Amino acid sequence: MTLFSVECITCRRRLKVNHADAIGQILACPGCGSMVEIAPPPDWQAGTGDTPAGSVGAGDQTQWAESEAEQGEIAAGQAETVDDFDSLLAGGTPDDPLPPPLLRPTAPPLEGAASEPPSPNAAWASPVEQQWRKRILLGGCAVGLLALVTGLAIFAFSEGDDPPKESQTSAEQNGDSSQGEPEASPAATAEKKPDDHPTEFDPPAPVDPPNTIGPPSPVDPPEVTPMPTEGPAEPPPVNPDPRPDENPVEPPDPSSPNETEEPVIESPPTPPANPIDVEARLADKIPQINLPRIGLREFLEFLTDLSTVSITLDLDALAELRVDLDTPLSVAASDSTVGDVLRKALAPLKLDYVLRGGQVVVTHAAANRRPRTVPHFVGDLATDPASRRALAELLKKMIEPQSWDGEKPTGTIVIGDEQLTVTHSFSTHYKILRLLERLRIARRLQPRNKYYDARAFELTTPMTRATDRLDAPLPANFHQRPLREIVAYVNRKSELQIVVDWHALGKVGVWPDTLAKLRAQQTLAALGEMLTRLRLALRVVDERTVQITSMAALRSRYDVQLYRIDDLLPGAEAAAPLIENIKGRVAPQTWQSAGGSGTMHYDPKSGYLIVRQTQGVQNLLETTFQGLRKEPR
């Protein structure tokens, strides 16, 4: 007999109460399993109904709160269980229907209440529940075993990619080439042709050491017996960049088509001092050294390990002297110093070292840093006096513009017949030669280059030429490791040559032992993420070489690039409006018209736009031109 009904507040079902002993208890709803308090309605009186009182327990097969129809629905819903999946998948039906759902165990007694230890009820001991518990246990074991195997695999993989420890890194930098370095692509030199015109800028040919013809060969471990020096053999560890990482400034992303402004970089706080006494280390004695044949970069790394002095390479000077990172050199000396050994090894390559801001920089020898007068033939580019004057003004506008005018100019240009006679530094002569040669290529004239690799005069940007290597995956994971160790690892694992401008990094307080993080991903993204945390920048030098430098150094360096835009113009007269449009869209505050240093010049004979800007803006310009070509016209 139904005494009254209550409502489950979870599933909103009306539940019939058939036993008076259930009054006051909290039982499970047969529909959803939620706990329901059995409370009679206010107008209900005890004694109504003729159902004899009895206990409601696990052994009672009569449902306390379901009608017969509702019991049938629940039983039908529970028929297909895991026990019968095999027969269901085979197309059969379960052999034995499951019994109707039993009551759940009641809530545990309150704390302090005397009660006997609970014992399993009929539901707990039923075959179905036992089978479920067995399967849950097996499933849990399987999941745990799978997690253990996965963890071991990840650990083994991370151990495989982990860079060599400090001792191994030191051994590699001391001449062990078993790990291998990226192969150098030898520069192809154009065949020299006879020329009846006046002598042009003729850089000194690179001098190979005696008996060093042919590609570089593996180097035997150098015979060095360093004399003990005072002080620590290794520089003390330097804490990572003390500046907070909150809201780090993101460097410009050259691949982002929506980027039209160079980010404004805040001035960093005063950097910590160099932990190395450079002058003292350069004066350290080397009793004996004999390196019969070794690549330039490998030699500098060896000397860095020996002296703990970081050495910066002037990459512009190397390009101007036709020296690459793998150019071989030889050195043998006795009872010498670190500085003397470095100078003696660099001399045959017309290189020397200087101290700038307490940092060692390998650059031009002193003779090449003095001004010199050189005639540059321009008869094929400018056929009349007016065009030669215009070309001279273009060179002043694009190359070292601050050096030609003012109270104390450091350079001059004299206009002559079919030539411009320029007095300036060796580096400026190279820049003039490079611009004139690229202008010939843009105008489809015969190249006059007789000394340099033709790749030095390519019209495509360095970022475009290095795209494939920068897009390659970089399998590396470093967490708080010295920057020099990460750079050495990436040089071994990638197809790039990474060169660090330690002179620029020292100005912002980043040293070789500054800790950094590198995450495995695309090479450009991985390096960009690491350098952003240190507030550094990446400069793409050529298709194979990139340089880690500071934000300030990258923003103060201006390059000249040529872009073909005649396909974007309906006529030559439309060049001026397009130039103004570009200036307004891409870093407008960086152009001369807005007080900056960037400038543009359209060459109608070639259809190319000549631009002097920083590399960040150059990359944005290239992206902008690509976008304009996709726009409907």
Side-chain angles (χ1 to χ4, degrees), residues 531-550:
L531 298 179
T532 297
R533 293 192 183 101
L534 300 175
R535 299 191 179 183
L536 301 177
L538 190 71
R539 180 173 79 92
V540 182
V541 180
D542 53 39
E543 64 276 2
R544 190 184 175 196
T545 310
V546 296
Q547 182 185 52
I548 295 177
T549 184
S550 66

Side-chain angles (χ1 to χ4, degrees), residues 114-425:
S115 62
E116 296 181 358
S119 58
N121 55 19
W124 177 262
S126 66
V128 176
E129 291 292 336
Q130 292 179 1
Q131 187 69 12
W132 269 105
R133 290 197 299 275
K134 180 179 179 181
R135 293 184 179 226
I136 290 174
L137 179 61
L138 293 177
C141 293
V143 172
L145 181 60
L146 179 61
L148 178 61
V149 173
T150 303
L152 292 175
I154 294 176
F155 176 77
F157 179 76
S158 62
E159 284 294 311
D161 281 346
D162 197 33
K165 303 300 180 183
E166 189 69 26
S167 61
Q168 296 174 351
T169 303
S170 176
E172 288 171 0
Q173 294 175 348
N174 277 274
D176 182 8
S177 59
S178 60
Q179 296 293 333
E181 293 291 340
E183 295 184 1
S185 56
T189 305
E191 182 180 357
K192 185 173 182 178
K193 299 180 180 180
D195 192 359
D196 298 333
H197 296 289
T199 303
E200 298 184 44
F201 169 54
D202 189 357
V207 180
D208 286 335
N211 301 324
T212 57
I213 301 176
S217 58
V219 182
D220 294 330
E223 301 174 6
V224 181
T225 309
M227 180 174 292
T229 58
E230 297 181 358
E234 290 290 335
V238 182
N239 291 331
D241 190 1
R243 296 182 292 273
D245 274 344
E246 290 80 14
N247 301 321
V249 181
E250 295 287 343
D253 183 3
S255 62
S256 174
N258 297 324
E259 187 84 46
T260 58
E261 295 284 346
E262 274 196 307
V264 179
I265 308 300
E266 299 178 357
S267 298
T270 303
N274 187 355
I276 304 298
D277 188 345
V278 175
E279 293 187 5
R281 297 284 75 80
L282 290 175
D284 288 342
K285 294 292 185 179
I286 299 180
Q288 184 177 2
I289 183 171
N290 181 21
L291 301 174
R293 185 180 178 87
I294 187 173
L296 173 61
R297 180 175 59 178
E298 188 177 359
F299 167 71
L300 297 180
E301 290 174 350
F302 161 74
L303 213 58
T304 295
D305 290 337
L306 184 66
S307 64
T308 71
V309 174
S310 298
I311 303 174
T312 298
L313 272 172
D314 183 349
L315 296 180
D316 291 335
L318 265 61
E320 294 156 9
L321 294 171
R322 295 182 291 170
V323 175
D324 60 36
L325 298 178
D326 297 315
T327 297
L329 55 84
S330 300
V331 61
S334 299
D335 192 20
S336 187
T337 64
V338 173
D340 291 339
V341 168
L342 177 59
R343 179 162 283 126
K344 184 175 182 180
L346 297 175
L349 303 180
K350 302 295 188 282
L351 293 170
D352 198 358
Y353 79 87
V354 296
L355 291 180
R356 294 177 181 170
Q359 296 281 332
V360 177
V361 179
V362 173
T363 183
H364 283 287
N368 285 339
R369 296 197 294 270
R370 292 192 291 266
R372 60 176 61 188
T373 300
V374 176
H376 292 268
F377 176 75
V378 294
D380 54 344
L381 295 172
T383 57
D384 57 81
S387 60
R388 286 192 286 274
R389 285 194 299 270
L391 183 58
E393 291 302 318
L394 176 63
L395 295 179
K396 292 180 180 180
K397 182 180 179 181
M398 293 294 169
I399 300 172
E400 306 294 343
Q402 72 282 356
S403 66
W404 306 102
D405 301 315
E407 296 181 357
K408 296 181 179 180
T410 58
T412 60
I413 297 181
V414 178
I415 303 173
D417 295 335
E418 296 188 338
Q419 67 184 26
L420 300 177
T421 303
V422 180
T423 301
H424 219 297
S425 65

Side-chain angles (χ1 to χ4, degrees), residues 65-113:
E66 290 293 340
S67 64
E68 294 180 358
E70 290 169 336
Q71 293 179 21
E73 293 174 1
I74 295 174
Q78 296 290 333
E80 297 179 3
T81 64
V82 178
D83 301 74
D84 302 301
F85 269 9
D86 293 339
S87 60
L88 290 176
L89 291 176
T93 57
D95 296 332
D96 298 320
L98 295 177
L102 303 178
L103 290 176
R104 298 174 181 266
T106 59
L110 297 176
E111 183 179 358

